[in-house]
């Protein structure tokens, strides 16, 4: 009896302890559930968020190509020496803006001196022959000169006039300077982009090296390389976005102006040309550029702003927004993306709203 009583009491104690611990455990779980509420976007953050709407749109592929900013050769002028002599008084430097007709420098030249002398001689000859013609015509009226003499005098006068006109044109071609100097003038408005001359330099008329190169940079070309695998994906007239290292936040809009249709045998690429208006002369020749071709396809897909995507653990996600207390992480499957738009295969429906800015902050808060 005594041992049986002890056994019963022991069981009661163990059972009571079990109930006590069980009650404590249930109380803790309930407390945890009560303290854990739904996530709510803070008002201060909500004011800064961009909310995008899921929609159906035409798929546009974006392909990037490396390119270089270059002159428009149709608006470039190379100035070559027309005469021999010594360069003096260079008045411009590389990068200077010049106007059409502006004097860039001068050349002391014996050739110009000879052209001046030839013009003076021709002018004197015209005066002499004009006087002789007038004298012969006067003598002919008195019967002291024949018609042949008058005709001869007239021919000599006309030849003298022709020689004067030729001397004037030669001098005009060479700057029309009457002081024995050749003036180097700019034929167009533009920037000095190349300068191969200094004061004191001796130049020759048969020199193949240009003195100056002047370019009107109001319009520039961007030459990009298209590899064989992408030739069928670019077309003349396709819209492009041009970005540079110098202006990382600025996109220059343009279109493909020309496809060369010939592969470079060395690097196996085809040249593609984009013509851009260069407002403010922001783009400089030889700047590196990235050309993004936006090529539309005849295919519709669900689309969202690319800023709405979050990539984590090899999976894309979006934050679906229904209210500041009702947000949801949704895994999505991507078809393709371009600079601004992501095309979705599954995970979202048209008309839903997604957080399109600072989505990573909401994603982190929901995961925590």
């Amino acid at each position: 009896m005594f041992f049986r009583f002890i056994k019963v009491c022991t069981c009661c104690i163990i059972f009571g302890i079990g109930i006590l611990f069980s009650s404590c455990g249930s109380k803790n779980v309930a407390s945890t559930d009560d303290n854990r509420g739904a996530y709510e976007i803070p008002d201060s953050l909500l004011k800064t968020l961009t909310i995008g709407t899921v929609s159906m749109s035409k798929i546009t592929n974006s392909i990037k190509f490396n390119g270089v900013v270059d002159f428009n050769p149709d608006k470039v002028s190379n100035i070559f020496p027309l005469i021999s002599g010594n360069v003096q008084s260079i008045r411009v430097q590389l990068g200077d803006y010049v106007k059409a007709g502006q004097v860039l420098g001068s050349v002391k030249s014996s050739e110009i001196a000879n052209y001046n002398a030839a013009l003076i001689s021709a002018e004197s000859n015209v005066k002499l022959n004009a006087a002789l013609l007038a004298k012969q015509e006067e003598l002919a009226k008195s019967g002291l000169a024949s018609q042949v003499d008058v005709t001869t005098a007239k021919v000599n006068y006309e030849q003298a006039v022709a020689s004067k006109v030729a001397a004037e044109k030669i001098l005009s071609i060479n700057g029309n300077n009457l002081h024995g100097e050749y003036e180097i003038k700019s034929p167009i408005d533009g920037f000095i982009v190349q300068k191969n001359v200094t004061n004191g330099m001796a130049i020759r008329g048969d020199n193949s090296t240009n003195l100056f190169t002047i370019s009107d940079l109001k319009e520039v070309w961007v030459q990009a390389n298209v590899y064989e695998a992408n030739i069928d994906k670019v077309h003349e007239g396709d819209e492009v976005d041009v970005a540079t290292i110098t202006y990382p936040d600025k996109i220059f809009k343009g279109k493909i102006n020309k496809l060369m249709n010939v592969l470079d045998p060395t690097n196996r690429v085809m040249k593609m040309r984009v013509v851009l208006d260069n407002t403010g002369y922001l783009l400089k020749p030889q700047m590196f550029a990235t050309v993004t071709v936006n090529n539309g396809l005849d295919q519709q897909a669900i689309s969202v702003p690319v800023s709405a995507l979050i990539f984590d653990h090899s999976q894309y996600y979006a934050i679906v927004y229904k209210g500041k207390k009702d947000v949801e992480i949704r895994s999505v499957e991507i078809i393709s993306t371009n600079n601004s738009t992501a095309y979705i295969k599954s995970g979202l429906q048209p008309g839903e709203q997604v957080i399109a800015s600072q989505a990573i902050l909401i994603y982190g808060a929901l995961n925590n």
Side-chain angles (χ1 to χ4, degrees):
M1 286 293 293
F2 177 73
F3 290 107
R4 186 178 298 171
F5 174 75
I6 292 174
K7 184 176 181 181
V8 171
C9 289
T10 302
C11 290
C12 290
I13 292 169
I14 293 172
F15 179 71
I17 292 171
I19 291 175
L20 177 62
F21 277 101
S22 176
S23 299
C24 291
S26 298
K27 194 169 186 179
N28 287 338
V29 170
S31 176
T32 301
D33 290 338
D34 290 341
N35 292 334
R36 182 180 180 184
Y39 172 73
E40 179 179 344
I41 302 176
D43 289 336
S44 59
L45 177 59
L46 185 61
K47 291 178 182 178
T48 66
L49 295 180
T50 300
I51 307 298
T53 301
V54 181
S55 61
M56 294 291 294
S57 62
K58 185 177 179 180
I59 296 178
T60 301
N61 287 331
S62 291
I63 309 172
K64 294 183 182 295
F65 302 95
N66 294 323
V68 177
V69 179
D70 205 350
F71 311 112
N72 180 345
D74 294 333
K75 297 184 177 181
V76 170
S77 179
N78 292 306
I79 302 175
F80 289 89
L82 298 179
I83 48 86
S84 301
N86 293 316
V87 177
Q88 296 183 343
S89 305
I90 295 298
R91 306 176 187 179
V92 294
Q93 298 298 324
L94 196 65
D96 287 354
Y97 182 79
V98 296
K99 305 286 288 184
Q102 180 176 334
V103 176
L104 310 181
S106 62
V107 180
K108 284 287 187 181
S109 172
S110 59
E111 292 179 26
I112 295 296
N114 290 334
Y115 296 150
N116 280 324
L119 177 59
I120 294 171
S121 176
E123 290 173 340
S124 299
N125 199 29
V126 168
K127 292 178 181 179
L128 174 61
N129 282 279
L132 291 175
L133 175 60
K135 186 64 175 177
Q136 290 298 325
E137 288 176 339
E138 185 179 346
L139 291 174
K141 290 178 182 179
S142 303
L144 298 176
S146 66
Q147 189 62 38
V148 174
D149 294 333
V150 173
T151 302
T152 301
K154 185 178 290 188
V155 169
N156 291 336
Y157 171 73
E158 290 175 350
Q159 289 176 344
V161 170
S163 297
K164 176 178 175 289
V165 170
E168 289 174 338
K169 288 185 177 180
I170 292 173
L171 195 60
S172 175
I173 291 172
N174 289 278
N176 203 29
N177 191 305
L178 302 178
H179 304 290
E181 291 184 353
Y182 173 76
E183 292 183 333
I184 307 169
K185 296 181 180 180
S186 173
I188 62 171
D189 295 349
F191 290 89
I192 304 291
V193 296
Q194 193 172 5
K195 176 176 174 284
N196 300 314
V197 63
T198 58
N199 287 324
M201 177 185 291
I203 60 173
R204 292 164 51 102
D206 59 356
N207 194 344
S208 61
T209 302
N210 59 312
L211 303 179
F212 296 96
T213 298
I214 301 172
S215 176
D216 176 4
L217 296 179
K218 293 178 181 178
E219 188 177 82
V220 294
W221 287 5
V222 178
Q223 305 267 21
N225 295 327
V226 181
Y227 289 94
E228 288 186 71
N230 294 320
I231 288 177
D232 63 332
K233 299 180 179 65
V234 296
H235 315 86
E236 289 186 10
D238 283 351
E239 294 184 354
V240 301
D241 296 332
V242 178
T244 61
I245 298 173
T246 307
Y247 311 107
D249 299 325
K250 186 173 181 60
I251 298 297
F252 299 89
K253 298 287 186 179
K255 292 183 178 182
I256 297 177
N257 175 265
K258 181 72 174 178
L259 295 174
M260 302 310 171
N261 293 315
V262 176
L263 291 181
D264 187 312
T266 304
N267 49 27
R268 308 298 301 171
V269 297
M270 180 182 73
K271 290 292 183 182
M272 174 178 71
R273 184 177 73 203
V274 177
V275 179
L276 294 177
D277 290 331
N278 193 18
T279 304
Y281 304 111
L282 297 178
L283 296 172
K284 318 295 184 188
Q286 303 310 308
M287 272 186 175
F288 289 109
T290 300
V291 180
T292 303
V293 178
N294 300 311
N295 194 351
L297 304 177
D298 293 329
Q299 183 179 350
Q300 297 278 328
I302 296 170
S303 63
V304 295
V306 73
S307 57
L309 294 181
I310 302 156
F311 188 74
D312 189 25
H313 295 97
S314 301
Q315 172 68 49
Y316 282 102
Y317 299 92
I319 308 296
V320 178
Y321 174 84
K322 297 179 182 178
K324 70 176 186 177
K325 295 183 179 181
D326 190 358
V327 288
E328 172 192 352
I329 297 176
R330 191 85 61 80
S331 63
V332 295
E333 188 175 353
I334 304 296
I335 298 174
S336 64
T337 62
N338 57 36
N339 286 338
S340 59
T341 306
Y343 301 96
I344 308 299
K345 185 176 182 180
S346 63
L348 295 171
Q349 294 299 322
E352 290 186 308
Q353 292 186 312
V354 293
I355 295 175
S357 69
Q358 306 185 73
I360 190 68
L361 297 178
I362 311 299
Y363 178 80
L366 289 171
N367 277 327
N368 288 334

